[in-house]
Amino acid sequence: MNPIRNIAIVGAGAMGAAYAAMFSDAVGFNVSFVARGKRYERLKHRSMTVNERLYNIGVIHPYKVSTPADLVIVALKHHHLADAVADIAALAGPGTTILSVMNGLESEEMIGAVCGMDKLVYALAVGIDAVHENRWFTYASPGKIVFGPTADDGSGPDLERIREALDRAGIPSEVPPDILRAMWWKFMVNVGINQASAVLRAPYGIFQSSADARDLMRSLMEEVVALAPRAGIDLRSGDIEEWNQVMMTLSPKGKTSMLQDVEAGRKTEVEIFAGRVISLGKIHGVPTPVNATMQRIIKVIENGFGK
């Protein structure tokens, strides 16, 4: 199969902008954002600045493309995905690979139900510290994209083709021996750092310097660790320490996506973090009091957005 060339990015927030810049800086890619309606018109006439460099990324309408995308990167908030699944399907052809870097454990199944799981890989983004403030996008670390097959029979997208494209774009990547364990590890991380940072209004630097902040983060993560074996996932307390090591390498001024949402008065993804932990806790009979409290606090914050 030919190398990946046409990149379509669904989601023009901090992470989508960072990846668009990385692919645009590399040789051999055509990079476009995907939008329709008023968002299409808005992006069509807007340039963006990523790490103080100006980019003019093209915008395509999902129902007006003549050539399917080789790679669709989905970088949306969870509550926007349901409205975008049909758009993603419209971009896909026989050779299209769909890679979601969305938070949570749900996006691949939601996309696969419409597009077919054979077009998807399981994926997660680790360590990218992209921030969007006042139409400026910045990131200090590209992090890495961890990905793997959605089936055990060798079907689905060519993993080496994806790795080659990420290498060309300068995006570190990894194919772990157990991608579902990696997905749960990222879920654990998000449940901890995203939610704790949102209620503390704290960038990474606070967690790097404050043991109390790290303890709050850990207490949220430990409930995920307790749930994981019930779902057949080998997650342990030592995995929290692995995240701490990654966190210490991030820009102290970097902010989680949930903190950025709170600061901008946007809806958060608390439903797929604390909400999912609470739901799984009820199913498996595992207490989740820290996440239950966190959900209440974040809901109070969200309810104050319009006041």
Side-chain angles (χ1 to χ4, degrees):
M1 188 173 289
N2 293 329
I4 289 171
R5 177 175 175 81
N6 294 316
I7 310 285
I9 300 178
V10 184
M15 189 173 291
Y19 286 131
M22 294 178 210
F23 280 107
S24 295
D25 287 341
V27 175
F29 294 110
N30 294 322
V31 185
S32 301
F33 287 118
V34 179
R36 53 182 166 81
K38 293 181 179 179
R39 186 167 180 78
Y40 173 85
E41 294 299 326
R42 186 165 63 250
L43 289 175
K44 182 180 177 181
H45 299 290
R46 189 188 81 179
S47 58
M48 62 175 53
T49 301
V50 182
N51 286 355
E52 300 186 349
R53 180 174 177 180
L54 187 66
Y55 291 86
N56 291 297
I57 309 294
V59 185
I60 56 175
H61 192 293
Y63 304 109
K64 297 179 181 179
V65 294
S66 56
T67 303
D70 296 323
L71 176 64
V72 179
I73 296 177
V74 185
L76 293 167
K77 297 292 184 183
H78 176 75
H79 44 275
H80 294 312
L81 180 58
D83 289 337
V85 169
D87 299 347
I88 296 167
L91 299 165
T96 299
T97 294
I98 303 171
L99 188 155
S100 169
V101 292
M102 292 177 58
N103 290 326
L105 299 171
E106 298 89 353
S107 66
E108 282 85 2
E109 280 67 28
M110 290 178 65
I111 298 167
V114 176
C115 303
M117 289 299 293
D118 60 314
K119 295 189 181 304
L120 281 124
V121 291
Y122 284 124
L124 56 141
V126 179
I128 182 170
D129 51 5
V131 175
H132 177 200
E133 290 181 325
N134 300 323
R135 297 183 66 177
W136 288 68
F137 298 88
T138 59
Y139 68 92
S141 169
K144 66 180 176 180
I145 292 179
V146 179
F147 65 98
T150 58
D152 296 329
D153 58 5
S155 62
D158 184 341
L159 301 186
E160 284 303 315
R161 185 172 180 244
I162 302 169
R163 190 203 299 270
E164 188 275 337
L166 296 175
D167 284 348
R168 271 192 287 146
I171 302 171
S173 66
E174 177 186 344
V175 178
D178 187 344
I179 185 60
L180 290 180
R181 183 185 186 281
M183 296 279 287
W184 267 76
W185 181 84
K186 178 63 183 297
F187 176 60
M188 175 197 74
V189 168
N190 279 331
V191 165
I193 188 65
N194 261 285
Q195 297 187 128
S197 68
V199 299
L200 295 176
R201 303 308 210 311
Y204 292 122
I206 298 298
F207 293 89
Q208 292 164 347
S209 62
S210 169
D212 288 326
R214 291 194 299 275
D215 285 345
L216 174 59
M217 177 186 70
R218 172 181 281 275
S219 65
L220 291 158
M221 291 178 166
E222 285 175 341
E223 293 185 348
V224 178
V225 173
L227 282 166
R230 307 297 181 94
I233 304 297
D234 181 23
L235 206 63
R236 305 177 185 182
S237 294
D239 292 303
I240 299 175
E241 300 309 320
E242 180 185 348
W243 161 247
N244 284 337
Q245 293 174 18
V246 173
M247 183 181 67
M248 292 299 180
T249 69
L250 302 179
S251 168
K253 296 181 180 179
K255 300 177 181 180
T256 67
S257 59
M258 188 176 278
L259 173 57
Q260 293 178 63
D261 289 339
V262 166
E263 290 181 339
R266 296 187 296 258
K267 178 177 172 56
T268 75
E269 293 183 307
V270 68
E271 287 86 358
I272 63 168
F273 297 151
R276 184 67 183 271
V277 171
I278 295 165
S279 175
L280 288 170
K282 290 177 180 177
I283 292 171
H284 296 297
V286 175
T288 57
V290 184
N291 275 277
T293 300
M294 187 62 65
Q295 185 181 50
R296 294 187 186 100
I297 294 170
I298 293 174
K299 284 296 184 183
V300 171
I301 293 172
E302 284 187 341
N303 289 336
F305 284 164
K307 297 178 182 179

